[in-house]
Amino acid sequence: MTTDTVHDTSATSIPAWEGDITQIPYWVYRNEDVRKLEQEKIYQGPTWNYLCLEAEIPKAGDYRSTFVGEMPVVVTRNTDGGIHAFENRCAHRGALIALEDGGNVRNFSCVYHAWNYDLAGTLQGVAFQRGVKGKGGMPDTFSKTALGPRKLHIATFCGLVFGSLDGNAPPIDEYLGDEIASRIKRVLHKPVKVIGRFKQILPNNWKLYFENVKDSYHASLLHVFFTTFRLNRLSQKGGVIVSETGAHHVSYSAIDTQEASSAEYESEKLRTDKENYLLADPSLLDGVDEFGDGVTLQILSVFPGFVLQQIRNSLAVRQVLPTGQESTELNWTYLGFEDDTPEMDTMRLKQANLIGPSGFVSMEDGAVGSFVQRGIRCADAEYSVVQMGGSGIGSVDYRATETSVRGFWKAYRDHMGF
Amino acid sequence: MTAINYEQLNAFNAAYASCIDEDKLESWPAFFTGHCLYKITTAENHEAGLPAGLIYADSKGMLTDRVSALREANVYERQRYRHIIGTPHITSTAPDALQAETPFLVTRIMRGGKMDLFATGKYVDRFVHDGAELKLAQRIVVCDSTSFDTLLAIPL
């Protein structure tokens, strides 16, 4: 037996990435060691992870439970108005500190042995530290100050709260870049209110969903509502912006009322092009140009798992969380603005039919990731083809491209060291 | 006008379940009044007063559109439901209207045979007379869980 046939248990099972960012090897969605490495290199690496909205924790003592990758995290508002986040893990035995999705508290007490934490996640009290009736208790050498759950660095931007476990993450403005930052500001330009929360469990790797968000090529091919009602035809004016790092993107389109019948679509005879498709109650699509720029759709992603969506007047943030190699949690937070009129409220409720797990234009996105995950079950040595629009990751003024998908893989490979 | 009774409610809900489970969705909007509210939400949203739904329809036309979208537009893997609808808990009665909360359980059976408990919850209903027939002026589908697996295409 030669040495290279001996199984080395210390090595990972991650193969080499042979091609470039136009060839995505299928093992990247399936390999268990990749999943572990993502936790370390991406979620706990120099990235900014969306945690919650400032509007969800407006008052001192307000908190939300969330996740950074698979790590449970608590986000709080302190009495001085500051925001903190810390790992939801008691320093004693590792139990969850907060058991609710959110609420208002003065401090946190672990239910297991009543170890107590302040709103910043700093360990304040250890039950029976001096023992009971002079017996038991912690040794004299015990020090609370050395113990506590890991604390996150916090950055806020337009009411979005981001956290990072790595002090080397660049400042949030720099991380986002000017173009992405300005498109977040475009939507989140005044105080928001939450109008609903839904959780969707996707039976596929998180990257398949995040790629789908960035993929402007599929939008009008898979989703009939866009094309039929001229919300998102590829031949409309619009484009894709990719951040310098490749990590983040914006895809946008605007109604072009002068648009002639598009020859490309006619010749393709696409399934999605149904001329006679009419709504019995078109009030669903009643809307207003609330941002005053004619942009009917803006899908924006921030690496590794945040999406800000404007589809007409339907506004939402989405948080993409890995929950297993073939399982992803997609948290939808539907938004309006605090100063919405009752008419605007109703418009948003009706347009919310477009989005979410039952969305006329997003239902399919819940399923296609699973179609891929099941399709590639025996294809670890094969790869997908991401060549639409060439091999670059630049911003373009058209949407028949996979530039932002390639951008994602560039950033992903940089973080992972692939 | 005679008051609405349990027998009518049970017969109505049995027909409603059969309509969806037997894939006769084109008949589904007829269970509602012209101006109605049909919404699918979660107990968490409902109790917190957060108004958005996964599906939100305030007219029979919007229900018709939901069905035609499922038939003509949306892509989802072949699947079917089986509804088990419980006994209505009548919460208020008036000569011409009745409010009830009725528990339901829905299994989803996918192409390929995967069968799961897909949703449980309660219907928060307001029934009215429409001539001799009973109609829903409101059905808020309040799902117990915050989570939905993959997608929710067929109505509950």
Side-chain angles (χ1 to χ4, degrees):
Chain A
M1 186 189 273
T2 57
T3 51
D4 62 0
T5 61
V6 175
H7 184 60
D8 181 4
T9 52
S10 70
T12 72
S13 62
I14 301 173
W17 187 313
E18 304 287 354
D20 61 12
I21 52 174
T22 66
Q23 297 180 333
I24 315 307
Y26 290 128
W27 54 256
V28 81
Y29 307 104
R30 293 175 32 82
N31 186 291
E32 198 57 40
D33 287 324
V34 167
R35 176 185 170 202
K36 289 176 192 155
L37 199 63
E38 284 170 352
Q39 297 302 313
E40 176 193 337
K41 300 286 189 185
I42 293 179
Y43 296 107
Q44 294 170 40
T47 58
W48 287 107
N49 296 271
Y50 170 74
L51 301 177
C52 68
L53 300 164
E54 282 200 70
E56 294 179 291
I57 48 169
K59 300 188 300 291
D62 285 347
Y63 77 93
R64 295 287 302 170
S65 300
T66 184
F67 292 87
V68 168
E70 297 191 40
M71 177 193 287
V73 165
V74 186
V75 199
T76 65
R77 177 82 68 175
N78 208 343
T79 48
D80 62 9
I83 294 171
H84 301 273
F86 53 90
E87 189 175 11
N88 191 359
R89 174 184 59 84
C90 182
H92 177 215
R93 297 302 308 272
L96 292 171
I97 298 168
L99 297 174
E100 284 295 336
D101 298 333
N104 184 276
V105 293
R106 284 190 180 174
N107 50 47
F108 293 93
S109 182
C110 176
V111 294
Y112 201 173
H113 302 88
W115 284 32
N116 191 273
Y117 300 88
D118 67 14
L119 292 168
T122 305
L123 179 60
Q124 295 293 320
V126 170
F128 306 140
Q129 185 174 347
R130 309 255 176 260
V132 178
K133 295 181 179 170
K135 294 180 178 174
M138 288 292 186
D140 294 338
T141 53
F142 175 80
S143 166
K144 282 200 296 275
T145 52
L147 296 172
R150 280 176 280 184
K151 293 181 180 178
L152 280 73
H153 303 272
I154 294 291
T156 59
F157 191 84
C158 289
L160 304 170
V161 182
F162 293 92
S164 181
L165 281 141
D166 189 334
N168 295 316
I172 191 72
D173 298 48
E174 196 182 307
Y175 183 75
L176 296 170
D178 290 343
E179 294 206 275
I180 304 298
S182 71
R183 267 71 179 189
I184 295 175
K185 281 181 198 158
R186 175 185 166 271
V187 176
L188 301 178
H189 66 103
K190 58 182 176 178
V192 296
K193 63 179 179 186
V194 173
I195 61 170
R197 292 193 188 92
F198 298 98
K199 188 180 293 185
Q200 194 174 357
I201 307 297
L202 306 176
N204 53 260
N205 188 270
W206 68 276
K207 299 187 288 294
L208 289 169
Y209 184 78
F210 207 55
E211 284 182 279
N212 173 274
V213 167
K214 289 172 177 278
D215 171 10
S216 54
Y217 176 28
H218 87 281
S220 57
L221 301 170
L222 180 65
H223 307 304
V224 70
F225 251 74
F226 277 142
T227 45
T228 306
F229 299 101
R230 297 175 181 248
L231 281 162
N232 188 35
R233 291 181 74 126
L234 291 178
S235 51
Q236 280 183 249
K237 66 175 178 180
V240 183
I241 298 162
V242 185
S243 68
E244 207 170 307
T245 55
H248 326 302
H249 101 294
V250 181
S251 171
Y252 62 94
S253 63
I255 281 186
D256 182 355
T257 51
Q258 303 302 309
E259 185 201 12
S261 179
S262 163
E264 290 85 1
Y265 269 87
E266 297 302 328
S267 64
E268 293 278 340
K269 297 211 187 309
L270 297 179
R271 177 186 63 79
T272 56
D273 211 10
K274 294 180 187 294
E275 280 179 33
N276 298 317
Y277 191 68
L278 296 171
L279 290 178
D281 184 351
S283 72
L284 170 75
L285 292 172
D286 284 350
V288 291
D289 182 15
E290 65 178 313
F291 303 106
D293 54 10
V295 173
T296 53
L297 175 141
Q298 177 184 293
I299 303 292
L300 180 152
S301 69
V302 175
F303 189 89
F306 171 76
V307 182
L308 172 65
Q309 159 229 295
Q310 175 230 334
I311 300 174
R312 294 207 153 190
N313 305 109
S314 165
L315 311 177
V317 296
R318 310 178 203 163
Q319 182 190 36
V320 184
L321 295 172
T323 49
Q325 191 60 7
E326 297 194 355
S327 174
T328 299
E329 186 174 298
L330 178 60
N331 289 309
W332 295 82
T333 306
Y334 293 13
L335 301 177
F337 290 114
E338 270 184 12
D339 64 359
D340 279 349
T341 60
E343 294 74 24
M344 199 69 215
D345 285 337
T346 303
M347 254 181 230
R348 293 198 206 281
L349 294 177
K350 288 194 182 196
Q351 290 188 31
N353 281 294
L354 298 171
I355 65 167
S358 305
F360 287 134
V361 297
S362 64
M363 185 188 300
E364 291 84 8
D365 295 329
V368 288
S370 152
F371 298 162
V372 175
Q373 194 77 54
R374 285 147 64 193
I376 63 175
R377 198 147 279 167
C378 293
D380 281 352
E382 307 288 328
Y383 55 83
S384 68
V385 179
V386 188
Q387 286 185 306
M388 201 70 182
S391 59
I393 64 162
S395 298
V396 293
D397 62 358
Y398 53 87
R399 290 160 49 81
T401 177
E402 291 171 318
T403 182
S404 48
V405 178
R406 287 187 291 273
F408 168 77
W409 288 110
K410 179 185 181 301
Y412 179 88
R413 298 211 313 181
D414 287 347
H415 280 280
M416 293 287 280
F418 288 170
Chain B
M1 190 165 289
T2 56
I4 301 166
N5 60 41
Y6 272 113
E7 193 181 343
Q8 287 175 301
L9 292 180
N10 284 327
F12 182 99
N13 283 330
Y16 181 98
S18 170
C19 170
I20 296 174
D21 295 350
E22 305 306 317
D23 193 27
K24 292 171 181 154
L25 292 179
E26 282 70 15
S27 305
W28 174 63
F31 287 91
F32 294 83
T33 57
H35 293 282
C36 59
L37 177 64
Y38 175 81
K39 177 165 88 167
I40 299 181
T41 187
T42 67
E44 188 183 86
N45 286 318
H46 190 66
E47 285 158 18
L50 301 180
L54 292 185
I55 297 178
Y56 184 98
D58 63 4
S59 71
K60 196 191 273 189
M62 286 183 79
L63 299 174
T64 304
D65 292 336
R66 183 53 74 167
V67 175
S68 45
L70 289 177
R71 298 294 195 214
E72 303 287 331
N74 288 121
V75 179
Y76 55 100
E77 207 164 6
R78 187 159 53 78
Q79 55 188 268
R80 61 193 304 166
Y81 289 167
R82 181 62 62 193
H83 281 70
I84 303 296
I85 300 181
T87 305
H89 168 52
I90 296 172
T91 52
S92 114
T93 52
D96 55 347
L98 175 145
Q99 298 188 48
E101 296 192 356
T102 306
F104 65 84
L105 181 156
V106 175
T107 57
R108 183 174 65 181
I109 304 93
M110 300 298 294
R111 175 187 79 91
K114 187 167 176 281
M115 181 168 67
D116 288 308
L117 183 56
F118 179 58
T120 68
K122 64 178 178 183
Y123 294 131
V124 178
D125 292 338
R126 193 160 61 82
F127 287 93
V128 295
H129 280 293
D130 179 20
E133 289 187 83
L134 214 52
K135 299 278 182 190
L136 281 166
Q138 173 195 289
R139 172 156 280 184
I140 300 176
V141 183
V142 181
C143 296
D144 294 323
S145 174
T146 53
S147 297
F148 296 88
D149 178 69
T150 311
L151 53 78
L152 189 155
I154 303 167
L156 296 171

